[in-house]
Amino acid sequence: AQSVTQLGSHVSVSEGALVLLRCNYSSSVPPYLFWYVQYPNQGLQLLLKYTTGATLVKGINGFEAEFKKSETSFHLTKPSAHMSDAAEYFCAVSDGNFNKFYFGSGTKLNVKP
Amino acid sequence: NAGVTQTPKFQVLKTGQSMTLQCAQDMNHEYMSWYRQDPGMGLRLIHYSVGAGITDQGEVPNGYNVSRSTTEDFPLRLLSAAPSQTSVYFCASRQPDRGLLGGYTFGSGTRLTVV
């Protein structure tokens, strides 16, 4: 079975500071991992994904994440936060055939001026 | 614009009433799904479909029915609404690419309140 744990339901950073959103997963099969972003009153948008290959993946808006199998982690980072990054972020893991995605409970990112 | 369209955007129901949440996509995606989003719980899969005529249950299917008569449409039916079904519902679709391309395309959601 697959599951995702996101540490910290709210994270607050200053504009220009490093963003680090934590995600740990549990999977009985090789995991396929995703980060999504949700802006207020909108659906989710894909930020980045890991399926196979390079463990450091780059996404949109300057975000990246590193798959660490030994730590069962897929943390999301951005070197310098921007006000427009304020949103809720969801980590997700998929089963092997991508029919079922299991989402974490989400982390709301607040960016202070 | 191409994408996933959900209607209505907002709905208030009385306990015991039934209704259908509509979802339509014009991207010829074979896979469609319904999620509910509750505070502190992320998104949970209700039902999904891998093509017309084929549906299956997700994590939280009780109280909901689906059917898939066309590729474009995937309606979600609440048979007898309960306050526990108060939530935001998202429809999502994707190409049958095993997730290698872009993951899901999400609709903008239906906010349902059951009183």
Side-chain angles (χ1 to χ4, degrees), chain B residues 93-115:
Chain B
S93 71
R94 67 167 175 79
Q95 286 281 25
D97 60 357
R98 299 181 60 79
L100 295 179
L101 293 181
Y104 287 137
T105 298
F106 280 84
S108 57
T110 295
R111 188 173 296 274
L112 176 68
T113 302
V114 183
V115 298

Side-chain angles (χ1 to χ4, degrees), chain A residues 63-84:
Chain A
F63 284 93
E64 60 183 39
E66 186 171 12
F67 168 58
K68 292 186 176 181
K69 185 178 179 180
S70 61
E71 298 178 7
T72 62
S73 69
F74 191 57
H75 301 330
L76 182 71
T77 61
K78 182 174 181 177
S80 177
H82 191 272
M83 295 298 292
S84 61

Side-chain angles (χ1 to χ4, degrees), chain B residues 38-55:
Chain B
D38 301 295
M41 301 187 71
L43 281 77
R44 292 178 293 168
L45 181 64
I46 304 171
H47 287 285
Y48 67 97
S49 169
V50 298
I54 306 169
T55 63

Side-chain angles (χ1 to χ4, degrees), chain A residues 32 34 36 38 41-46 49 51-52 88 90 95-106, chain B residues 31 35 37 40-43 45 48 50 57-59 90 94 98-108 111:
Chain A
Y32 299 98
F34 301 78
Y36 282 86
Q38 184 181 33
N41 299 314
Q42 295 186 25
L44 279 69
Q45 302 173 28
L46 181 68
K49 64 187 184 293
T51 52
T52 59
E88 189 162 18
F90 292 91
D95 65 354
N97 58 12
F98 297 95
N99 285 337
K100 297 181 180 180
F101 278 56
Y102 299 88
F103 287 84
S105 54
Chain B
Y31 177 95
Y35 285 85
Q37 183 179 27
M41 301 187 71
L43 281 77
L45 181 64
Y48 67 97
V50 298
Q57 295 181 351
E59 287 182 82
F90 287 98
R94 67 167 175 79
R98 299 181 60 79
L100 295 179
L101 293 181
Y104 287 137
T105 298
F106 280 84
S108 57
R111 188 173 296 274

Side-chain angles (χ1 to χ4, degrees), chain A:
Chain A
Q2 286 76 32
S3 66
V4 171
T5 301
Q6 290 184 240
L7 295 177
S9 58
H10 291 81
V11 170
S12 187
V13 300
S14 297
E15 191 172 20
L18 171 72
V19 175
L20 171 62
L21 304 182
R22 298 179 185 275
C23 171
N24 288 89
Y25 69 90
S26 172
S27 178
S28 56
V29 297
Y32 299 98
L33 298 159
F34 301 78
W35 274 100
Y36 282 86
V37 60
Q38 184 181 33
Y39 298 101
N41 299 314
Q42 295 186 25
L44 279 69
Q45 302 173 28
L46 181 68
L47 269 182
L48 50 79
K49 64 187 184 293
Y50 169 80
T51 52
T52 59
T55 56
L56 180 63
V57 293
K58 296 184 184 300
I60 62 172
N61 300 338
F63 284 93
E64 60 183 39
E66 186 171 12
F67 168 58
K68 292 186 176 181
K69 185 178 179 180
S70 61
E71 298 178 7
T72 62
S73 69
F74 191 57
H75 301 330
L76 182 71
T77 61
K78 182 174 181 177
S80 177
H82 191 272
M83 295 298 292
S84 61
D85 294 328
E88 189 162 18
Y89 293 79
F90 292 91
C91 183
V93 61
S94 176
D95 65 354
N97 58 12
F98 297 95
N99 285 337
K100 297 181 180 180
F101 278 56
Y102 299 88
F103 287 84
S105 54
T107 298
K108 287 188 177 178
L109 176 66
N110 178 49
V111 182
K112 299 175 291 186

